[in-house]
Amino acid sequence: MEQMRDFNQWLSTMTDSIADWTYYVDFPKVYRNVNEIKIPLNIMNSLLGSKNIRSEFLELLDKYPEILKAIPIIVAKRLNDTILVKDVEKDFYFKFKKPNYSPEEYADFMEKSGVFDLLSNHLVANLFDYVTGVEVGMDTNGRKNRTGHTMENIVQSYLEQEGFVMGVNLYKEIYQNEVEELFNVDLSAITNEGNTSKRFDFVIKRDSIVYLIETNFYSGGGSKLNETARSYKMITEEAKTIPNVEFVWFTDGQGWFQAKKNLRETFEVLPYLYNINDLKNGILKELL
């Protein structure tokens, strides 16, 4: 499709959100994470209100060393994380999956980090509920990834409405070498002569044309948007040198208002740059 489009008019149709009902908190994931340490948490509950919490903690740790696994989440860290503490005397690199310090030093961590105070002064009713709240807070960091997956799901639903079938003529999260094998095309121009391994969100084939598809959504601004626009402009130019291959980009989000200069540059060279409004208006029927 070669008709001229107005960039500013197109930009004005960017949507503010694609959040669905489960966007804000992935509760099944929260419950799953908490249940994995339910027993250590319940053992640690015996410390609530303790007047001799250090000695009681050391006794618990001796009897039930698995309680260490419940400690990182109390300070909003993951079990696999190394918790670094810069002390005036030396640096500490605490591990909780596989202990690397003495029980006394772990007790120091609990005391100096404020966890003992939290427990001994009974500032929480029980650790299971407390950790559930911490997990909810930490899960908000996953919203950006959920937005990306939601955009993928939106594009996939429209592709499937057009009759594309997953595994037949529609492929998701597929690497460049797999595309080359499936469709007998050479994508080395896109992948720096094979020195990089590019993964595409979707690949479809209609008649003799292979369409390489990327999707994303940006509700807020940042340098990532400019980097993405520049990168996709380059892929656009590179794809033009490959016979029977087209690059398609579905993006949306009002974050683009803050990065419209770079987006405009890509818009001017990439004829297949669309948003959700385009999908709703049947752009796939025109494209494919």
Side-chain angles (χ1 to χ4, degrees), residues 197-225:
S197 183
K198 171 68 180 167
R199 189 183 76 171
F200 300 98
D201 291 334
F202 297 100
V203 171
I204 59 176
K205 186 174 184 182
R206 170 62 60 88
D207 298 327
S208 62
I209 307 298
V210 175
Y211 295 90
L212 311 174
I213 301 173
E214 288 290 296
T215 71
N216 42 48
F217 183 93
Y218 297 105
S219 57
S223 61
K224 175 67 175 175
L225 285 80

Side-chain angles (χ1 to χ4, degrees), residues 44-274:
M44 290 274 286
N45 273 335
S46 66
L47 297 175
L48 294 174
S50 170
K51 301 304 179 186
N52 302 295
I53 193 165
R54 185 183 181 97
S55 61
E56 290 184 19
F57 168 76
L58 290 169
E59 289 175 12
L60 272 186
L61 185 58
D62 182 56
K63 284 186 180 180
Y64 308 103
E66 65 269 26
I67 66 172
L68 275 184
K69 296 179 180 180
I71 294 173
I73 192 62
I74 296 176
V75 294
K77 296 290 287 183
R78 294 295 180 197
L79 179 58
N80 289 326
D81 291 343
T82 296
I83 298 182
L84 169 61
V85 176
K86 307 286 285 187
D87 187 73
V88 291
E89 294 184 0
K90 69 172 185 176
D91 295 343
F92 290 88
Y93 297 84
F94 286 100
K95 296 182 183 296
F96 292 84
K97 192 171 185 178
K98 188 175 181 181
N100 60 335
Y101 287 104
S102 68
E104 287 288 346
E105 286 170 310
Y106 278 101
D108 289 339
F109 173 85
M110 298 286 280
E111 181 176 343
K112 295 177 181 179
S113 67
V115 176
F116 277 166
D117 181 60
L118 176 76
L119 302 179
S120 63
N121 288 311
H122 220 148
L123 299 177
V124 293
N126 68 79
L127 283 173
F128 190 85
D129 290 349
Y130 169 84
V131 167
T132 299
V134 173
E135 283 285 353
V136 168
M138 293 181 69
D139 184 68
T140 60
N141 294 327
R143 288 178 184 170
K144 185 179 294 186
N145 290 334
R146 283 196 287 276
T147 299
H149 291 311
T150 300
M151 188 65 180
E152 285 182 8
N153 292 339
I154 290 170
V155 172
Q156 181 177 333
S157 69
Y158 278 97
L159 289 170
E160 290 175 340
Q161 286 174 34
E162 288 302 309
F164 290 93
V165 178
M166 191 65 67
V168 177
N169 53 4
L170 168 61
Y171 301 86
K172 185 174 183 179
E173 296 179 351
I174 179 171
Y175 283 93
Q176 133 266 331
N177 63 305
E178 298 172 299
V179 178
E180 292 176 328
E181 292 174 9
L182 273 171
F183 302 113
N184 193 30
V185 294
D186 181 4
L187 301 181
S188 59
I190 291 178
T191 59
N192 190 22
E193 301 302 321
N195 292 323
T196 59
S197 183
K198 171 68 180 167
R199 189 183 76 171
F200 300 98
D201 291 334
F202 297 100
V203 171
I204 59 176
K205 186 174 184 182
R206 170 62 60 88
D207 298 327
S208 62
I209 307 298
V210 175
Y211 295 90
L212 311 174
I213 301 173
E214 288 290 296
T215 71
N216 42 48
F217 183 93
Y218 297 105
S219 57
S223 61
K224 175 67 175 175
L225 285 80
N226 290 322
E227 293 170 11
T228 300
R230 284 192 294 264
S231 172
Y232 289 177
K233 179 183 178 183
M234 183 180 298
I235 291 177
T236 298
E237 300 289 2
E238 293 165 343
K240 288 178 180 178
T241 69
I242 308 174
N244 300 319
V245 169
E246 298 287 355
F247 179 60
V248 185
W249 181 19
F250 293 99
T251 192
D252 213 314
Q254 294 186 0
W256 283 116
F257 294 151
Q258 301 176 46
K260 61 182 180 180
K261 179 180 180 293
N262 283 289
L263 184 61
R264 180 194 288 274
E265 291 178 1
T266 307
F267 181 88
E268 290 173 350
V269 299
L270 176 54
Y272 308 119
L273 173 51
Y274 305 116

